[in-house]
């Protein structure tokens, strides 16, 4: 089955700096890679996703890049703000019936003033 | 509000007991997924239902069972509870069975004492 590794487990940045979280996956057939943000006391919220036929996707201050050859994908947050502080999860799946979304272990991002 | 409703929000029960967690998916979503989140295990996939039928199974214990009803709400039954079952249990839903764009509920925090 799929295995997703995520690094770092904790990340502390100064407000306004950029943050990068990296994930690697094991199943080369995986074709969908979402990122979730989980704030304290809440469920994970989808913030951006990318499919295997795309190398990069951007949404305002958030971007995701995918390197299929190396089987890794990254989340980039620019101009970080205190409200970006949360736990971020990457995930990977081969879409289709019977396949589960496999999550990374999470990154605790802290944006300091 | 994500549109996925989970009840109850908190549950405290004793070892050996049985509990039922309930999930109402977002309007129009046919798939329901159950995940367990504990401090040291991250988000662990338990089971998926699509339009009333079991679609995928993860590392769900035999003491746990689930079902999806004709109105598409789902219930996760946990029996013979152990201290180690204490965790956050999340339900997520998606339109189809293809694993795109999960929407998570806010979770049920189960504490077994």
């Amino acid at each position: 089955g799929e295995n997703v590794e995520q690094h770092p487990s904790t990340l502390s940045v100064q407000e306004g700096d950029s943050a990068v979280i990296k994930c690697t996956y094991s199943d080369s057939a995986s074709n969908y890679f979402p990122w979730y943000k989980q704030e304290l006391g809440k469920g994970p919220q989808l913030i951006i996703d990318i499919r295997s036929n795309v190398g990069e996707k951007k949404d305002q201050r958030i971007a995701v890049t995918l390197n299929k050859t190396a089987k890794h994908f990254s989340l980039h947050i620019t101009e970080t703000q205190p409200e970006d502080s949360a736990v971020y999860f990457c995930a990977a799946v081969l879409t289709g019936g019977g396949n589960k979304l496999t999550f990374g272990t999470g990154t605790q991002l802290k944006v300091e003033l | 509000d994500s549109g996925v409703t989970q009840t109850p929000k908190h549950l405290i029960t004793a070892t050996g007991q049985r509990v039922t967690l309930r999930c109402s998916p977002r309007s129009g979503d046919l798939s329901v997924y159950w995940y367990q989140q504990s401090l040291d295990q991250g988000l662990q996939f338990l089971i998926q239902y699509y339009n009333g039928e079991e679609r995928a199974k993860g590392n769900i214990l035999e003491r746990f069972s689930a079902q999806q009803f004709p109105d598409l709400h789902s219930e996760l039954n946990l029996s013979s509870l152990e201290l180690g079952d204490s965790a956050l249990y999340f339900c997520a839903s998606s339109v189809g069975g293809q694993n795109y764009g999960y929407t998570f509920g806010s979770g049920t925090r189960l504490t077994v004492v």
Side-chain angles (χ1 to χ4, degrees):
Chain A
E2 177 64 275
N3 182 51
V4 178
E5 294 188 359
Q6 183 172 347
H7 301 280
S9 57
T10 61
L11 179 59
S12 184
V13 299
Q14 294 293 314
E15 183 180 7
D17 287 350
S18 295
V20 180
I21 302 170
K22 298 182 179 181
C23 289
T24 60
Y25 59 98
S26 61
D27 188 350
S28 57
S30 288
N31 59 358
Y32 176 64
F33 308 91
W35 285 88
Y36 287 83
K37 175 184 181 182
Q38 186 176 21
E39 297 175 82
L40 199 61
K42 297 184 179 180
Q45 179 187 9
L46 178 69
I47 55 172
I48 195 167
D49 56 13
I50 192 167
R51 303 190 184 181
S52 58
N53 59 348
V54 176
E56 183 174 1
K57 184 176 178 180
K58 191 172 181 180
D59 182 5
Q60 300 182 329
R61 297 185 297 109
I62 294 173
V64 58
T65 59
L66 171 65
N67 183 327
K68 286 191 295 183
T69 303
K71 290 190 288 186
H72 67 70
F73 56 114
S74 300
L75 178 71
H76 305 254
I77 306 174
T78 58
E79 301 173 14
T80 54
Q81 301 168 3
E83 51 265 39
D84 294 329
S85 296
V87 178
Y88 291 81
F89 291 95
C90 62
V93 68
L94 169 61
T95 57
N99 296 315
K100 66 186 191 320
L101 200 57
T102 301
F103 285 85
T105 49
T107 296
Q108 175 75 61
L109 173 64
K110 184 177 180 182
V111 180
E112 299 177 336
L113 297 171
Chain B
D1 182 7
S2 68
V4 178
T5 304
Q6 287 189 250
T7 57
K9 292 192 182 301
H10 303 277
L11 199 49
I12 301 175
T13 190
T15 54
Q17 295 298 304
R18 173 190 170 94
V19 297
T20 297
L21 312 183
R22 182 189 169 100
C23 169
S24 293
R26 201 177 51 166
S27 178
D29 286 356
L30 299 178
S31 268
V32 169
Y33 312 81
W34 285 98
Y35 278 80
Q36 179 191 57
Q37 185 178 40
S38 51
L39 280 175
D40 57 348
Q41 294 292 323
L43 283 159
Q44 298 294 313
F45 171 72
L46 296 178
I47 198 163
Q48 175 197 359
Y49 281 85
Y50 174 73
N51 203 21
E53 294 188 1
E54 183 182 305
R55 178 63 69 93
K57 213 166 187 176
N59 296 323
I60 186 168
L61 299 172
E62 286 191 7
R63 301 184 285 109
F64 295 1
S65 65
Q67 54 184 347
Q68 186 180 28
F69 295 86
D71 67 352
L72 301 178
H73 92 271
S74 178
E75 293 182 356
L76 178 67
N77 301 296
L78 315 176
S79 61
S80 303
L81 285 167
E82 302 174 359
L83 295 178
D85 297 327
S86 296
L88 271 167
Y89 290 85
F90 286 105
C91 168
S93 70
S94 67
V95 173
Q98 302 300 309
N99 284 296
Y100 289 123
Y102 284 17
T103 300
F104 278 85
S106 56
T108 292
R109 180 174 293 280
L110 173 66
T111 303
V112 182
V113 298

